[in-house]
Each structure stands twice: as structure tokens, then as C-alpha cells.
Amino acid sequence: MGEILSEAYLWDKAEPLLRQVLKRYTDAFGINDPETMKAMANLAATLRKAGRLKKAEDLNQQVLKARTEAFGRNHPDTIQAMANLAATLWSAGKLEEAEDLEQQVLKARTEAFGRNHPDTIQAMANLAATLWSAG
């Protein structure tokens, strides 16, 4: 339900539900459970969309750390967490930090999926947009 509300741009209603989901997963399974990490990523995405960028950045950092520890640096979920953090940094105007992460995402996706995979192409587009924004 929280994800549906978030997609409908009802962030203020989505956030409390997503926080409940995260708390329940954390209490039941711990912070390193894949479903807990997914719930944390969903909350972070909602916070970013709502413009709560500092909170979103902090949560995205936690997701990246947890996924790196659980799955390793080259796992698709870890790479996606890196991309999500880069998007949040971009939204916050932290273009140098976003660019650095986007370079890492592009490299990792190219190695994992090849140059013509949709995720790799999206990583190229994200990096291009950041470079353009930075001037």
C-alpha cells in the first residue's frame, strides 16, 4: 500500500506506512535481510520524491552499506543501491558526488551486463545528465 501511495504522489500518506513496514521487517528479520533492505530502499525513494533529501541520502547510504556487506559490491541489488544514492545526490545538487557514483554504476553494470543492456544504457544516460547539469 505504501508503494502504491508513493507512486500516486501521496508521499505524506506513504511515508508512515513504509516506516511501519521497515520497522516490522527490521524487528522480525534484522537489518541485513533482503526484504528489510528493499523496504528501506522503498522508504528512501519516497523521501527523495517528497524532497526530504537529507533523510533520503542517509537511508540510501544505509541501504548501500547493508547490500554491500550482504551481497558484495558487484551484486545487481548493490549496484542499484549505488544508483539510487547517486539519484538522491543529484536531486540534492551534489553533482560531483553523484558523478563519482554514476561512474562506478556504469562500470559495474557494463561488467555485469554488457554495454547494450538496458540498465547499462540507463547508467550512461544518468551520467550524461549529471555531466550536462554540472556544465
Side-chain angles (χ1 to χ4, degrees), residues 4-100:
I4 293 169
L5 291 170
S6 181
E7 291 301 316
Y9 303 101
L10 300 171
W11 300 301
D12 290 336
K13 292 181 181 180
E15 183 182 346
L17 291 173
L18 292 170
R19 285 191 183 282
Q20 284 181 5
V21 169
L22 177 58
K23 180 174 180 359
R24 289 183 184 180
Y25 273 123
T26 302
D27 290 348
F29 304 112
I31 197 73
N32 290 324
D33 181 78
E35 291 301 318
T36 303
M37 290 182 231
K38 181 179 176 185
M40 195 181 305
N42 289 340
L43 176 58
T46 297
L47 291 169
R48 181 176 58 83
K49 291 172 189 174
R52 296 186 190 110
L53 300 176
K54 180 59 180 148
K55 288 182 181 180
E57 182 181 339
D58 292 345
L59 208 49
N60 275 312
Q61 289 278 9
Q62 290 178 40
V63 172
L64 179 56
K65 182 177 187 283
R67 285 185 172 167
T68 301
E69 290 173 1
F71 305 131
R73 194 126 179 101
N74 295 319
H75 189 278
D77 289 350
T78 305
I79 298 167
Q80 184 59 52
M82 201 180 308
N84 292 344
L85 176 57
T88 300
L89 292 168
W90 186 90
S91 294
K94 298 179 179 182
L95 299 181
E96 286 183 24
E97 292 176 64
E99 179 186 340
D100 179 53

